[in-house]
Amino acid sequence: MCGIVGYIGDEQAAPILLDGLSKLEYRGYDSAGLAVYDGEKIEIEKMPGRLRGLIDITHDGEKMPGTVGIGHTRWATHGDPTVENAHPQYNKDKTIAVVHNGIIENFQKIREFLEEKGYQFRSETDTECIAHLLDYYYEGDPLEAIVKTMYRLEGSYALCILFAKHPDQVFAVRKDSPMVIGRGKEGEGNFVASDVPAILKYTRQVYYIDNEEIAVLSRDSIQFFNLDMEPIQKELHTIDWDMNAAEKGGYEFFMMKEISEQPKVIRRTIEPHIKDNEVVFDELKMTDEELAKLERIHIAACGSAYHVGMIAKYVIEGMARVPVEVDLASEFRYRNPIYSENEIVLLISQSGETADTLAALKQAKEHGILTVAVVNAVGSSMTREADRTIYTVAGPEISVATTKAYSAQLVIMYLLAMKLARVKGTISTKEYLGYQHDLLQLPQQAEMVLNNQTRIQKFANRYIAAKDVFFIGRGIDYAIAVEGALKLKEISYIHAEAYAAGELKHGTISLIEKGTLVNAVVTQEDLYEKTISNIVEVRSRGAFVMAITNADHADMENTADYVIYIPKTNPYFTGSLAILPLQLFAYYVSAGKGFDVDHPRNLAKSVTVE
Ligand code: G6P
């Protein structure tokens, strides 16, 4: 989604801003722009399309001299991706330039107010009203104008602002949209970014600016203020992860790199949570007695993280007999959930910034329910808002379609289920140790599946031109089918639907025609026979069926048209292996069609608007 970079120092700003924006490209955007103070005035260049266009028209930034500037990649919300709607937005005489992530909910009202005062609008964006509002309130003190503007804005925003009359300062503020401030080494200037990778090449020292705080950056200082314009102290953090982890390392696309990293990620996620044959979750800060009292878990998440929640329901309820309710975060927050004592809300999110999940978190907190965030991005908003954070240690995930973070989230759910089952005594010690054993085998088994991808690649090549693909399964296999379908539609733009296999005959089976591809996930031993009969149903209507299975069941070869085998594991954990061929299938279809696999159209990695 939208990206922000800001710089003030002694170097030329534009090349630094363009470089920073290129590190945020993976988040998804459809236009880009820069504003640089050239010694006399603010120069602005912006255009729809890829960042490459902006790099070309500015000759790698050389055509925009100046050592203070702000940059933006925009993912259109209000108005199409046009030059007018791209950021930076500015006031009437271009003395104030603003870049904005987030959505201003009351922008229509503000726009009417400003139009009455004679302000003329040139874009359809909500951001333009911020530039004019700053202009309206500016009477010589930029900080005061910013604070007064913030009082008027409803919604979410991270803003980076230039005032031509204060060319030795860059201003940054945020509310419910992420932003970090980077402190350069002495003499190397200071930075603003909506996401750490944008500035990691220049500094590892960052401040996390909190809601409704203002940062004022000059070449050699960074000051923070609250809404009362009082100075505040902030803690400096050191980023200890490596940008190499975010480089492609020889792969054509990040997605393939990230798919391949999954065995390692699964291992890395399990390791810190098993000590002396016991599952541990120190970060929950709960005693076994407290955990044993848990009576219900609410899970709220979006996209693939929601699909992890679907599997968590089967696993936690199955192992630990604790009821689990799973909701899309965008629904959860509006359905007025019923909470009781001894319950927790679990938020699952790769980015830790997804607006709906964050809102669900805040709402649960308002009800006094303990919130636990399962998050991949270190220092993200959810980690700061939640009562407890469990980190998945997948490392930076760049491809928009998630793979390794999804796998890490699944593992955390298995471990949680085991921990709860242990403290509640719903499984025997033998079963508990059996689960641990099976879990520890998963990385190696995942490697086996990934080492054997030629068959799935060949199969994907045959279906590049498919129009509709159906995915079916029962129980955990159904949840995997849903994720498999999402992967395919996200990156190949093929219509893909997942159905609980038993539900097909209640409508969807009418869509099956000769040659329709149906991908069946068949890993739950007690459901083999049932799913096999559903495969027979669709094949007899002309479907071509690929089965992903761990069954050494002669019926499978005789029933499906094409079989992909995965190793056997505990039925609770099969999702971690069954998803791999489906990720590969989606990848090869997308790459085969010549698409930009990592940057699917219309999608964003981190969805910071509701
Ligand atoms: C976007 C991404 C999905 C992701 C979802 C939730 O839609 O494209 O891949 O699953 O957001 O993101 P989160 O960061 O909260 O896991």
Side-chain angles (χ1 to χ4, degrees), residues 116 126 144 175-176 207 230 248 287 408 419 561 578:
E116 267 172 35
D126 51 344
E144 196 180 318
K175 180 175 166 277
D176 296 336
Y207 297 99
E230 295 160 348
K248 273 191 204 154
T287 62
K419 178 76 193 170
D561 297 283

Side-chain angles (χ1 to χ4, degrees), residues 65-84:
T67 56
V68 186
I70 58 181
H72 192 256
T73 43
R74 169 175 184 257
W75 189 80
T77 54
H78 294 71
D80 295 342
T82 60
V83 178
E84 293 73 31

Side-chain angles (χ1 to χ4, degrees), residues 302-305 348-354 357 382 400-402 409 486-487 490 603-607:
C302 299
S304 299
I348 310 174
S349 174
Q350 187 287 127
S351 61
E353 302 293 353
T354 302
T357 314
M382 281 179 219
V400 166
T402 180
Q409 289 161 353
L486 179 67
K487 286 283 92 70
E490 275 181 310
L603 297 182
K605 180 73 184 157
S606 161
V607 181

Side-chain angles (χ1 to χ4, degrees), residues 506-520:
H506 299 292
T508 315
I509 202 160
S510 67
L511 298 172
I512 305 288
E513 321 178 321
K514 190 166 176 357
T516 306
L517 175 60
V518 175
N519 291 333

